[in-house]
Amino acid sequence: MKTRTLGKSGLEVSALGLGCMGLSFGYGPATDKKEAIQLLRSAFDAGVTFFDTAEAYGANEELLGEALAPFRDKIVIATKFGFKEGQPTLGMDSRPENIKAVAEAALKKLKTDYIDLFYQHRVDPNVPIEDVAGAIQDLMKEGKIKHWGLSEAGAQTIRKAHTIQPVAALQSEYSLWWREPEQEILPTLEELGIGFVPFSPLGKGFLTGAINENTQFDSTDFRNIVPRFSEENRKANQELVDLLKTIATEKNATPAQIALAWLLAQKPWIVPIPGTTKLHRLQENIGAASIDLTINDLQEIENAASKIAIQGARYPAHLQNRVGK
Ligand SMILES: NC(=O)c1ccc[n+]([C@@H]2O[C@H](COP(=O)([O-])OP(=O)(O)OC[C@H]3O[C@@H](n4cnc5c(N)ncnc54)[C@H](OP(=O)(O)O)[C@@H]3O)[C@@H](O)[C@H]2O)c1
């Protein structure tokens, strides 16, 4: 697969990474361990060198530690700190002592002596970003982390953080159905030379066409509490999937591939991290890295998308409070 560099950090990764969360957390029961290991190793065999996890994703770091050990030195592992006891439901904890403890634990779980990219999962309103950056610098001096990043941070925090210790990447939601980062965040990142890692690049699965108003999610699936995934909003939002299907037919591709190719076409320093638990979908998604959307294709998407009003918030109110800080 082609590679990309995250901003001016020098951190080079495959043009598409793999979001590993769903293997352990968020979208129903965890995947069988053997199958998950096979999926992760197949991703590497297919050219993926960028693997995304977090302390907060259940046993995901342990899983990656085991699966990726045979080729650890050939890949980039990104993980995240910043929730109390690693649990998003308990709120934030980016106190320097917690950041350091989470890093130590991650090194053990990931079976490695360095983390390539360590993100703050959400900005902690109780801990100045200067203190967070200070803890990061201490970990860098010890060689325990190589780069750092932020997730769903606002432009002001990004600027402040970057002044103290250059930030390699911002990881925030971005896709054809969540384009807010285009307003202030992407110009800020471009100006500062920071890479962008869009999470949920397939709209949590919706943009692939595999979900409709009749889809039943597992009782533990996060999408049950996302307003955008209410039955009526799924029905209304099919309009966007229909557009992706039209473009996909023209390009002899799939809607998922068009959703990813569209992100790749926005900026050369954007690296989406689609997640899947299924081998055939992994292959399909990777195929997006070979699809070039022309200026005409992009214009056609832009014209049609601008007429579609997406229905429903991307987060319930209590989680919406945590983003853009
Ligand atoms: N920083 C943050 O706060 C944050 C938040 C959310 C996610 N993330 C990261 O971003 C990664 C990706 O985001 P995400 O998992 O939320 O959303 P996503 O990548 O947009 O979508 C994942 C969903 O799409 C389905 N899917 C994937 N490829 C498909 C295909 N070709 N056809 C049909 N369905 C397909 C998957 O189901 P199957 O497994 O059944 O294929 C899964 O339910 C996560 O794994 C995680 O590492 C970060």
Side-chain angles (χ1 to χ4, degrees):
M1 202 191 310
K2 289 173 214 159
T3 60
R4 291 188 166 203
T5 303
L6 290 168
K8 292 184 191 149
S9 67
L11 188 59
E12 192 180 335
V13 292
S14 50
L16 289 168
L18 181 65
C20 302
M21 177 185 78
L23 291 167
S24 310
F25 177 87
Y27 297 138
T31 305
D32 168 76
K33 192 172 160 190
K34 255 194 189 163
E35 276 175 41
I37 289 177
Q38 199 197 347
L39 182 101
L40 289 161
R41 292 185 177 162
S42 303
F44 174 70
D45 291 341
V48 173
T49 61
F50 188 31
F51 294 84
D52 189 78
T53 182
E55 184 201 19
Y57 299 163
N60 202 241
E61 288 180 314
E62 286 95 331
L63 173 70
L64 266 61
E66 184 172 342
L68 308 179
F71 39 85
R72 174 21 179 154
D73 57 338
K74 296 186 177 61
I75 57 166
V76 168
I77 301 178
T79 190
K80 314 182 193 82
F81 63 87
F83 290 119
K84 270 183 200 146
E85 296 167 39
Q87 294 189 43
T89 48
L90 300 181
M92 263 73 87
D93 187 353
S94 275
R95 290 171 303 137
E97 60 267 38
N98 191 50
I99 296 175
K100 291 178 185 178
V102 174
E104 292 298 341
L107 291 173
K108 284 204 186 76
K109 289 185 273 183
L110 290 165
K111 295 194 202 312
T112 182
D113 49 13
Y114 64 95
I115 296 164
D116 301 271
L117 177 55
F118 203 31
Y119 294 104
Q120 183 187 39
H121 213 145
R122 288 292 181 273
V123 172
D124 184 339
N126 298 315
V127 182
I129 199 70
E130 290 84 346
D131 295 358
V132 175
I136 291 291
Q137 287 175 325
D138 290 346
L139 288 165
M140 283 178 170
K141 278 183 211 135
E142 293 178 84
K144 290 175 180 164
I145 70 171
K146 304 253 188 227
H147 300 271
W148 80 304
L150 302 168
S151 177
E152 290 288 349
Q156 258 192 322
T157 304
I158 297 169
R159 280 185 189 282
K160 216 188 254 183
H162 191 67
T163 311
I164 306 164
Q165 175 63 45
V167 173
L170 177 78
Q171 178 178 133
S172 293
E173 184 165 356
Y174 183 40
S175 71
L176 265 166
W177 82 340
W178 181 251
R179 296 180 62 175
E180 193 192 70
E182 291 171 6
Q183 292 165 25
E184 196 184 3
I185 295 299
L186 291 183
T188 303
L189 299 182
E190 185 147 48
E191 177 197 325
L192 300 176
I194 298 174
F196 189 48
V197 176
F199 76 69
S200 301
L202 298 169
K204 299 182 164 54
F206 188 78
L207 300 177
T208 67
I211 293 171
N212 63 26
E213 72 268 29
N214 301 317
T215 304
Q216 295 287 326
F217 297 115
D218 182 87
S219 62
T220 61
D221 194 306
F222 171 68
R223 288 168 291 198
N224 287 313
I225 62 159
V226 175
R228 191 163 279 198
F229 278 90
S230 74
E231 229 174 273
E232 89 186 291
N233 287 337
R234 273 182 267 158
K235 196 170 177 186
N237 292 330
Q238 282 300 325
E239 218 183 325
L240 183 58
V241 179
D242 293 342
L243 164 63
L244 285 166
K245 284 182 178 163
T246 305
I247 309 285
T249 307
E250 288 168 17
K251 303 289 290 183
N252 199 18
T254 69
Q257 289 174 332
I258 299 300
L260 296 172
W262 180 83
L263 282 169
L264 289 168
Q266 301 309 303
K267 298 286 175 191
W269 37 269
I270 287 185
V271 180
I273 46 165
T276 183
T277 55
K278 300 179 178 63
L279 213 50
H280 69 280
R281 289 179 169 174
L282 172 74
Q283 301 293 354
E284 176 187 339
N285 297 346
I286 287 170
S290 320
I291 295 174
D292 282 319
L293 295 176
T294 63
I295 291 174
N296 285 345
D297 296 330
L298 293 167
Q299 198 56 56
E300 185 183 348
I301 295 173
E302 197 60 47
N303 292 344
S306 66
K307 297 188 187 88
I308 299 172
I310 302 298
Q311 303 299 315
R314 71 173 173 130
Y315 277 129
H318 70 287
L319 297 181
Q320 183 61 34
N321 281 341
R322 295 180 173 180
V323 299
K325 302 288 180 197

